[in-house]
Amino acid sequence: MRENNLQDTIAAISTAPGEGGIGIVRLSGKRSLEIAKKIFFRLAGKLKEFKGYSMHYGRILDGGQVIDEVILTVMRAPRSYTRQDVVEINCHGGMLSLQKILELVLKQGCRLASPGEFTKRAFLNGRIDLAQAEAVIDVIRAKTDSALKVSLEQLKGSLSARVNEIRRGLLDILAVLEAGIDFPEEGLGQQDAVKTSRRIAKLDFRLKELLAGASGGRILREGLRVVICGKPNVGKSSLLNALLKQERAIVTPVAGTTRDTIEELIEIKGIPVKIVDTAGILKPRNLIEKKAVKLARRQIKSADLVIMLFDSASGLDNADRGLIREIKNKKTIAVINKIDLKSRIEKNRIAGFFPTVVMLSAKTGKNLRLLEEAIYNFVFQGKQPLPELMLVSNLRHIQSLREAQKLAAQAQALSLEERLSPELITQNLKDSCACLDKILGKDFSADLLDKIFKDFCIGK
Ligand SMILES: Nc1nc2c(ncn2[C@@H]2O[C@H](COP(=O)(O)OP(=O)(O)O)[C@@H](O)[C@H]2O)c(=O)[nH]1
Ligand SMILES: [Mg+2]
């Protein structure tokens, strides 16, 4: 595969497209320094040798023509992002000079890098493992401070260290068991069996511990999709505005004001929340409303959490009851809105249908905080998330950890059986270990790498 070829010298624009103070063209590979030397001319003094971690002020020239005034940063193998020779050309951040410099280095023999190829090289050259490589893009895409913290921990290698530790534990047990299989006459004594079982149980516990923070971690990474639904005029758009703290959606006393769904990203206590306002669900009066209701239903289907809104002032009616039936399989927080008006709904009437009921006023903002707390609790089940337990956030890691844990638990159950069959236990432990290897990228396919890095930006 071309992209797994580490011999080419690759180049790409590493800064975001558009205007900026500075733009960077990055080169990585054996010929980086040689190519940079061909197009770079120092403004003061003569350039002798590029030292690692050095910066040079000068010009990029194409033939005799000045392309831009730049600063060149040189990082030499193996002390660089990719463990290869890396040159970063810091030029003016206009698309034209970036594009021209990129074209120039391509003309001189660089190949255009594919998305994430610099990071892929860091992985293939062993500077970081696969879980760390995946954390790079999560750091870039983090939507909240908490999400950033989790990704930075992963990039630092905290998750990998935990996984490695468990993996080593599994290998140690395997070594003992396999010695027993090789010398069956000695066999595994009762004492050994108990000891083995305890050791597997410990690792099973460690895996469960990592998985305990996984659903929260995943939401921090991907965001929580919250859809506000309810019949017309209960205050859905007002609630969106209140949570957003700005007048985003049109609010009027006229039923049927909202037609298109409105989505906005907000932060609730560190959780990135995609909040979606929908049209009220009631018998549509015309074609537009019919489409709006259809859209609203589709949104409800894709929600991680539904906020079902009731109007305190108008009382519970058949339309509300119909909606309650419609969303009975969704995770829902019920909200009784307009508590600033005379109440005609008792909380108890609704509490039977929903685990959480919040009473608030979208108009005055009263108790809005309680809804934010309810959403937070929905994600973290009322527990304060411990940073050390919030190490997992990537679905691929979660799935492999789950599989590894299941296999370890099976091995542990087998080790308690009277007629111990070491071969079966070792097979389960080996498979469990293989799952952990996948997380770390000790075992990978070109397809997997393609899948992971295709989501990266070019130049990273
Ligand atoms: N008194 C009071 N009126 C509200 C409250 N929330 C919304 N409303 C009013 O209810 C009407 C419908 O609100 P809107 O947000 O458009 O409802 P939607 O159709 O569910 O989106 C508007 O006149 C709002 O001003 C509230 O908490 N208290
Ligand atoms: Mg509305």
Side-chain angles (χ1 to χ4, degrees):
M1 251 197 62
R2 207 165 77 123
E3 279 78 23
N4 287 341
N5 174 6
L6 299 169
Q7 299 312 311
D8 296 352
T9 295
I10 53 172
I13 297 173
S14 281
T15 37
E19 255 176 46
I22 292 173
I24 298 178
V25 174
R26 171 144 72 170
L27 281 62
S28 171
K30 274 199 306 234
R31 297 188 55 215
S32 302
L33 303 177
E34 171 205 325
I35 290 172
K37 264 188 206 159
K38 280 190 190 161
I39 59 167
F40 175 78
F41 296 87
R42 247 171 97 113
L43 276 171
K46 252 177 77 185
L47 179 68
K48 287 186 208 118
E49 211 26 67
F50 280 135
K51 285 202 183 112
Y53 290 104
S54 62
M55 292 175 105
H56 312 269
Y57 172 51
R59 285 195 179 123
I60 299 291
L61 296 187
D62 182 6
Q65 200 199 342
V66 178
I67 303 287
D68 201 357
E69 215 166 284
V70 303
I71 299 246
L72 216 72
T73 312
V74 176
M75 286 150 279
R76 299 195 72 138
R79 299 183 62 201
S80 74
Y81 186 69
T82 57
R83 277 208 172 156
Q84 301 181 314
D85 284 343
V86 169
V87 174
E88 287 179 1
I89 304 172
N90 295 250
C91 61
H92 289 98
M95 267 334 270
L96 214 58
S97 46
L98 279 164
Q99 207 62 52
K100 280 192 170 166
I101 293 172
L102 179 64
E103 275 166 23
L104 197 56
V105 295
L106 295 181
K107 209 163 78 186
Q108 293 294 339
C110 285
R111 164 168 70 73
L112 185 65
S114 55
E117 196 171 356
F118 293 91
T119 309
K120 191 196 267 183
R121 288 189 168 190
F123 163 66
L124 290 172
N125 284 329
R127 191 179 68 78
I128 49 176
D129 64 39
L130 198 53
Q132 287 174 297
E134 287 169 290
V136 169
I137 195 66
D138 291 352
V139 168
I140 292 173
R141 302 234 164 99
K143 296 178 191 80
T144 65
D145 276 358
S146 318
L148 181 62
K149 238 182 242 167
V150 172
S151 318
L152 281 172
E153 277 301 320
Q154 291 172 0
L155 179 60
K156 205 172 85 188
S158 303
L159 170 65
S160 307
R162 289 282 194 105
V163 172
N164 255 316
E165 214 179 286
I166 297 170
R167 180 178 174 275
R168 267 197 304 275
L170 289 171
L171 289 176
D172 285 349
I173 300 170
L174 267 169
V176 173
L177 287 175
E178 290 195 321
I181 295 171
D182 288 344
F183 308 101
E185 63 279 10
E186 290 165 30
L188 260 190
Q190 186 57 30
Q191 240 180 352
D192 286 342
V194 171
K195 214 157 116 192
T196 303
S197 150
R198 272 205 203 120
R199 291 177 72 187
I200 303 175
K202 227 183 235 167
L203 297 177
D204 179 34
F205 177 78
R206 302 295 303 274
L207 286 165
K208 281 191 186 131
E209 208 175 38
L210 273 179
L211 280 166
S215 71
R218 189 172 167 214
I219 287 170
L220 282 185
R221 178 175 185 258
E222 289 168 18
L224 182 75
R225 197 173 175 80
V226 177
V227 174
I228 308 175
C229 81
K231 63 183 188 194
N233 257 345
V234 289
K236 296 178 295 299
S237 300
S238 305
L239 182 62
L240 173 96
N241 289 345
L243 288 167
L244 221 64
K245 295 173 182 61
Q246 73 177 56
E247 294 268 314
R248 170 67 179 85
I250 301 173
V251 170
T252 74
V254 181
T257 303
T258 309
R259 277 145 175 200
D260 282 327
T261 50
I262 296 178
E263 288 189 28
E264 287 292 332
L265 189 72
I266 57 169
E267 177 179 338
I268 294 181
K269 298 167 137 222
I271 304 167
V273 176
K274 179 69 84 51
I275 194 115
V276 186
D277 178 24
T278 61
I281 294 189
L282 201 68
K283 215 174 168 47
R285 294 169 295 189
N286 54 41
L287 193 63
I288 300 177
E289 287 192 0
K290 201 168 159 186
K291 287 211 162 162
V293 169
K294 200 170 151 194
L295 262 181
R297 290 213 161 95
R298 200 183 299 158
Q299 289 296 340
I300 292 170
K301 239 189 211 154
S302 73
D304 298 314
L305 174 68
V306 170
I307 293 181
M308 167 86 206
L309 212 56
F310 298 95
D311 183 341
S312 166
S314 75
L316 208 64
D317 63 16
N318 280 336
D320 292 312
R321 288 187 199 97
L323 259 176
I324 292 176
R325 275 195 299 277
E326 234 177 271
I327 56 157
K328 68 175 189 300
N329 292 324
K330 299 292 303 184
K331 305 248 193 274
T332 308
I333 293 175
V335 171
I336 301 177
N337 186 30
K338 309 195 190 181
I339 56 165
D340 52 307
L341 301 177
K342 190 172 162 12
S343 165
R344 295 178 59 197
I345 293 189
E346 281 176 36
K347 192 173 175 182
N348 293 345
R349 298 276 306 279
I350 289 174
F353 299 107
F354 302 100
T356 314
V357 182
V358 177
M359 302 181 69
L360 55 75
S361 167
K363 195 171 188 173
T364 67
K366 190 173 161 59
N367 284 355
L368 199 64
R369 193 180 41 84
L370 295 184
L371 176 60
E372 291 175 342
E373 265 161 32
I375 293 173
Y376 181 85
N377 286 337
F378 167 77
V379 174
F380 294 116
Q381 280 95 40
K383 283 177 246 142
Q384 192 67 25
L386 298 170
E388 65 267 30
L389 294 183
M390 292 279 297
L391 282 177
V392 201
S393 60
N394 178 315
L395 186 61
R396 190 183 80 83
H397 304 164
I398 296 171
Q399 282 169 342
S400 293
L401 277 173
R402 277 205 192 114
E403 191 63 18
Q405 188 271 325
K406 214 171 75 194
L407 289 158
Q410 273 169 20
Q412 205 259 334
L414 284 167
S415 69
L416 291 174
E417 281 179 10
E418 230 163 78
R419 283 183 52 80
L420 196 69
S421 59
E423 288 86 353
L424 260 182
I425 301 175
T426 49
Q427 195 51 53
N428 276 310
L429 292 179
K430 271 185 198 159
D431 292 347
S432 176
C433 201
C435 294
L436 302 183
D437 286 353
K438 264 192 228 153
I439 297 177
L440 299 169
K442 286 182 194 296
D443 171 29
F444 65 87
S445 64
D447 277 354
L448 176 68
L449 291 195
D450 282 351
K451 218 168 115 197
I452 289 174
F453 290 104
K454 83 172 180 350
D455 290 333
F456 272 59
C457 6
I458 288 196
K460 187 65 235 178

